[in-house]
Structures are given as C-alpha cells and as structure tokens.
Amino acid sequence: GLWEACEDAVLLEGWMKFVVDGLAPSLAPFAASGYDSPRQTLMWCLVLSSIARPAGAHLPTYDWIRWRRLGPMTWGLTAVWGALLVAAFMYRDPPMKHQGWALVAWWTLAAFAAGYTHAMIFVELGVRCKEGGFGSVDRQRCFRWAGMSTQAGALGGTLLAFWLVNASGWFVY
C-alpha cells in the first residue's frame, strides 16, 4: 500500500530533522565556543551554512545528480552531524583548537548535505508515488506524512537540546 511505499522516506525525514534542525542549531554555539575566535567561527558557520543548505537542496532538480539510496544517504548525514554534535560536547577543549576553519568547513559541508538529503527525500517520495500508481490524493497524503514527520522530528530534537542545554548541566560556560 501507500504506507509501505513511503514509510522509510517519511521516517528518515523525521530522523534527519531531529538531528539537523532540532539538536544542531542549539548546540552550535557550544561547538564554536572552544576555538580561538568563537564569535568569528560561529558567524562563519552560520553564514556559509545558510548559503550551502539551499544550494544542496537545489541539486535534486537535476536528474543526473539524483542518488535514490535514502538509507545510506541519511545515515551518512547522521554521522556527519553526529561528529559536529560530538564537537559541541568537547567545547571546553576541542580538537584543533586553533583551527576554527575546520569546524566552519565541516559545518558548511554538513549543511550542504542536509539540504540535498531533505530535497532528495521529497523527490523520492514523488517518484515512488508515481511509480506505484498512486493518485494525487494518495501523493498528498504521503507528503503530509512526511511534513508531519519533519515537524515531529524538529520538535523532538529541540526538546532534547533544550534539556541538554538548560537542565543537564553538561553545557556550562
């Protein structure tokens, strides 16, 4: 049925949003705070990732650059963002403390990959619905599920980040 055709993409979208849009933005200041120039590092992370993410999201509009293996793509993205979150937990003494550019480059690459993955999930949902012979009503339902998964994932990640930053005591300047 429709759910079987869309299930993995919908769940992967929620997971990606949990990590990328829920946890990462709240922990970004901590990831940058241990470097020699934390304000500059954070500023460049935010500026360049704000450019990289829409650029990555634009790529799936070209057929020749689409990669339809959503599982490996999303789990690879999780590993990239996971490394950034580990950097946030190491904010008191980060690796390469004098190399803020490394965090900026990593964050920008991760934002590019997040934009691509997010757009590719929705492209893949459309392709699967079309290939499965589902009509426009079913296609809308599938996209609605993905949208709900997006919101739930971002909310869950935000709630966890709020707890980590405000209640856990792990992030204290």
Side-chain angles (χ1 to χ4, degrees):
L2 178 64
W3 176 248
E4 289 79 23
C6 301
E7 173 185 20
D8 65 329
V10 169
L11 295 175
L12 289 173
E13 172 66 13
W15 172 251
M16 189 187 80
K17 291 301 177 173
F18 178 85
V19 174
V20 174
D21 291 337
L23 284 174
S26 300
L27 301 181
F30 293 100
S33 69
Y35 289 91
D36 288 342
S37 55
R39 290 182 183 176
Q40 291 293 101
T41 301
L42 180 61
M43 179 198 70
W44 283 112
C45 281
L46 297 175
V47 167
L48 294 178
S49 68
S50 295
I51 295 168
R53 194 158 179 182
H58 180 69
L59 284 182
T61 60
Y62 303 106
D63 288 335
W64 59 272
I65 202 148
R66 289 184 185 165
W67 192 48
R68 294 181 61 184
R69 299 195 54 195
L70 297 180
M73 185 166 42
T74 304
W75 292 115
L77 179 66
T78 300
V80 168
W81 281 96
L84 289 169
L85 295 176
V86 167
F89 282 99
M90 298 168 55
Y91 72 96
R92 289 190 178 109
D93 190 26
M96 301 190 317
K97 183 178 183 119
H98 307 293
Q99 309 295 326
W101 62 267
L103 181 68
V104 172
W106 192 256
W107 200 277
T108 304
L109 172 69
F112 183 85
Y116 178 82
T117 304
H118 174 68
M120 197 57 223
I121 284 172
F122 280 91
V123 167
E124 180 65 16
L125 283 172
V127 168
R128 287 182 186 181
C129 286
K130 191 179 247 183
E131 287 174 353
F134 298 108
S136 63
V137 172
D138 288 330
R139 203 170 314 154
Q140 286 176 355
R141 186 178 310 134
C142 190
F143 284 124
R144 210 171 296 122
W145 289 338
M148 184 183 71
S149 181
T150 296
Q151 298 303 316
L155 175 65
T158 301
L159 291 174
L160 178 59
F162 181 83
W163 178 81
L164 284 171
V165 171
N166 295 302
S168 72
W170 285 348
F171 295 100
V172 178
Y173 282 109

